[in-house]
Amino acid sequence: MTQIAVLGSTNMDLVAYVERAPQLGETVTGREFRTVPGGKGANQAIAAARAGATVSMIGAVGHDAYGVRMRETLEHSGVDTDSLRTIDCPSGTAHIVVDDEGGNAIVVIPGANGTVDHLAPGDEGVIASADTLLLQLEIPLPAVVAGAEAARRHGVRTILTPSPTRTLPSELLDNIDLLVANEREAAALADRADPRDAAADLLGLVPQVVVTLGAAGSLYLTRDAAPLVIPAPRVTAVDSTGAGDTFVGALAVALAEEKPIREALSWAAAAAALAVQREGASTSMPYRPEIEAQYTA
């Protein structure tokens, strides 16, 4: 079975659902509040596990009720948490506002994630045994770089989600095989407004680039083939939180299973389309039979 390692964050998502997000200095009344296990690392781990991979999560949670619940949620989805350490500090949290159009705004408080600034004993072995390593930027950059370097030493594919966006050092980019960014992230990284221009510039830094375009699908560029634009299924979005992580987790599984790139991207888009029709991040992520049914619909 496909083996995927995830080095990244675990957060408890504190989600407020509102008709519209407040402007600066404004108070609005929400219709609902939920606590949902999330974090980009945990989300991608859950998405990949539900899509059919054997997944190991490397990271940290706090010694609190949020940490207990996040570990349980990962394990319930089939994610191995032996490398998810428990730290004597609060777990990470993400404070999310979701409007009635399905859009969101997020503030992340790192908590225990901020202690993941290096690979702990045993982490490199977990990475070495994987087909693919998934990385994001919600933990300290030195750990992300160390993970990418370990993956390169062992011939493991690396996929980076550059979120939250920051300047990426060459020692990280030199060890990334595929960068998956949304339109805003790509624009910020490349200082380009147009997604195609941004993707083309990013292709000078890594061998393959995917820019997700929301309802418009995704754009794929590689150095040895023509660009691909993959449409997304037409659905009504309820909550886009976690959709990008669902896409990445499913894409990692498809690529590890050696699906052709066009099929892999369409399969990942089918998974993300299912996720946006449900509320929450980890709670919205589909299982493999659902993805297959959406993909063939």
Side-chain angles (χ1 to χ4, degrees):
M1 182 179 283
T2 298
Q3 300 273 342
I4 291 177
V6 181
L7 172 59
S9 60
T10 57
N11 293 320
M12 184 60 73
D13 292 347
L14 311 177
V15 190
Y17 293 93
V18 298
E19 181 180 354
R20 62 174 182 82
Q23 301 295 314
L24 188 64
E26 181 186 17
T27 299
V28 300
T29 299
R31 58 179 171 80
E32 189 176 359
F33 173 77
R34 292 185 183 181
T35 56
V36 183
K40 296 196 74 63
N43 286 344
Q44 292 182 7
I46 290 170
R50 291 185 178 183
T54 297
V55 181
S56 295
M57 179 74 206
I58 304 169
V61 293
H63 202 279
D64 54 20
Y66 286 165
V68 171
R69 185 176 169 198
M70 287 187 285
R71 187 182 295 275
E72 290 176 345
T73 299
L74 286 161
E75 292 173 349
H76 181 73
S77 290
V79 177
D80 186 302
T81 62
D82 286 351
S83 298
L84 182 66
R85 35 201 192 266
T86 300
I87 306 298
D88 190 16
C89 70
S91 296
T93 53
H95 304 254
I96 304 172
V97 175
V98 179
D99 66 26
D100 281 352
E101 299 297 319
N104 62 63
I106 305 173
V107 176
V108 174
I109 310 297
N113 297 305
T115 70
V116 187
D117 56 5
H118 63 284
L119 295 184
D123 289 351
E124 183 160 345
V126 173
I127 294 169
S129 66
D131 301 301
T132 303
L133 173 65
L134 299 183
L135 298 164
Q136 321 80 35
L137 300 176
E138 287 185 342
I139 60 173
L141 194 57
V144 181
V145 172
E149 290 174 341
R152 182 54 51 90
R153 282 194 294 274
H154 297 283
V156 175
R157 176 192 285 115
T158 52
I159 300 177
L160 173 67
T161 303
S163 178
T165 306
R166 66 180 74 177
T167 300
L168 302 178
S170 59
E171 58 264 37
L172 174 58
L173 292 169
D174 289 348
N175 292 296
I176 297 302
D177 296 305
L178 170 63
L179 185 143
V180 182
N182 64 30
E183 293 176 87
R184 292 179 297 279
E185 292 158 355
L189 286 171
D191 195 21
R192 293 271 214 161
D194 183 86
R196 284 182 177 272
D197 292 338
D201 284 1
L202 293 172
L203 196 61
L205 304 175
V206 296
Q208 299 176 83
V209 175
V210 172
V211 177
T212 56
L213 308 171
S218 62
L219 171 65
Y220 170 77
L221 273 74
T222 185
R223 293 171 179 171
D224 56 4
L228 292 176
V229 177
I230 306 297
R234 300 183 69 176
V235 299
T236 300
V238 171
D239 183 355
S240 62
T241 309
D245 295 326
T246 302
F247 180 93
V248 171
L251 178 61
V253 174
L255 292 176
E257 293 176 351
E258 299 185 350
K259 286 181 169 61
I261 187 62
R262 184 183 291 275
E263 180 182 343
L265 290 165
S266 295
W267 202 74
L274 288 165
V276 301
Q277 295 177 74
R278 306 165 181 171
E279 293 183 340
S282 62
T283 52
S284 72
M285 294 174 173
Y287 287 87
R288 188 179 185 103
E290 297 176 282
I291 301 172
E292 295 286 4
Q294 173 72 53
Y295 175 70
T296 57

